[in-house]
Amino acid sequence: MTSADAVAFAAAFNALRVVFPLRADKAEVEHLQRLYFRALSRFPIERVEIAVETLTASGTRFPKPAEWVRAVPLDGSRGLRPLDDSEAAEHRAALATFYQGDPCYCVLCQHAGVTHRMRRYVPMRDDDGSEVRGLLDGRPVTRGYWAHGVELREYYEARDAFASLSARSAGRTPRASSVVPRAEQLSRPA
Ligand SMILES: [Zn+2]
């Protein structure tokens, strides 16, 4: 990135803050943003933005600089398969709603007791546990799918456990807002 990418970087940084709110005042946020910019400046903005997608889909809190660096794809688009039309449409729709959707009432979700929770679009993984990537509009993306049933329940169990852990370590009891992230309210369809 160069200083010409500062605006695009600020947008990427703020996109993460929408999903993972930071407890910091305006001056602190600006300071953090400069630190993160420096930590990520050796990568092109396009790859920094792809990392935001990955972190939004799979993260549980605002990433540390090193975590953001790790999420930057090493390689460009070599060997990646383009998403087909229906996959691309699903991916774009998921992205537009911060990878969350209306609660699902399918048999799997009913059995797992998750019909009261928002659906989540989660990263697709290969047999090694690595995220599967593809090309969307010529750019590499992490491929995803909508989790249902036990998988969706486990996603929330992991995130709720993290929320109560970080609330405890901050000397607070968990509040509703730390269990239900703001993005879920934002992305609820009007
Ligand atoms: Zn379902």
Side-chain angles (χ1 to χ4, degrees):
M1 292 189 288
T2 67
S3 55
D5 299 314
V7 172
F9 179 74
F13 188 86
N14 287 327
L16 276 175
R17 282 176 57 209
V18 169
V19 184
F20 307 116
L22 280 174
R23 284 197 198 89
D25 66 25
K26 191 164 176 288
E28 287 167 340
V29 167
E30 284 170 4
H31 179 66
L32 283 173
Q33 194 176 308
R34 280 195 298 276
L35 286 178
Y36 278 75
F37 185 90
R38 215 174 304 151
L40 290 153
S41 60
R42 66 181 186 272
F43 303 111
I45 182 70
E46 292 77 17
R47 277 158 59 193
V48 171
E49 289 171 342
I50 293 164
V52 169
E53 277 187 37
T54 305
L55 292 163
T56 305
S58 60
T60 52
R61 63 190 155 77
F62 200 89
K64 295 185 165 63
E67 290 166 338
W68 196 337
V69 166
R70 271 201 299 278
V72 173
L74 291 177
D75 192 28
S77 52
R78 249 176 297 156
L80 294 181
R81 184 177 73 78
L83 275 64
D84 68 29
D85 287 349
S86 67
E87 290 167 343
E90 184 184 89
H91 192 98
R92 285 195 193 94
L95 182 60
T97 56
F98 300 108
Y99 301 101
Q100 297 175 95
D102 287 338
C104 176
Y105 299 94
C106 77
V107 174
L108 292 176
C109 288
Q110 286 185 29
H111 274 279
V114 288
T115 54
H116 62 299
R117 307 213 78 163
M118 306 292 278
R119 266 186 309 159
R120 289 290 312 194
Y121 198 69
V122 298
M124 200 178 281
R125 294 184 187 279
D126 62 19
D127 294 342
D128 301 330
S130 307
E131 292 180 354
V132 177
R133 304 182 63 71
L135 282 184
L136 178 66
D137 303 326
R139 291 178 45 185
V141 292
T142 297
R143 301 187 56 189
Y145 61 96
W146 291 104
H148 288 269
V150 170
E151 190 173 17
L152 185 60
R153 188 178 69 203
E154 287 173 352
Y155 168 86
Y156 278 110
E157 282 169 356
R159 203 172 64 166
D160 291 352
F162 185 86
S164 71
L165 188 70
S166 50
R168 264 206 308 278
S169 64
R172 299 184 193 90
T173 51
R175 289 174 301 129
S177 63
S178 63
V179 176
V180 182
R182 232 162 47 185
E184 289 188 8
Q185 290 142 18
L186 285 177
S187 65
R188 209 159 279 165

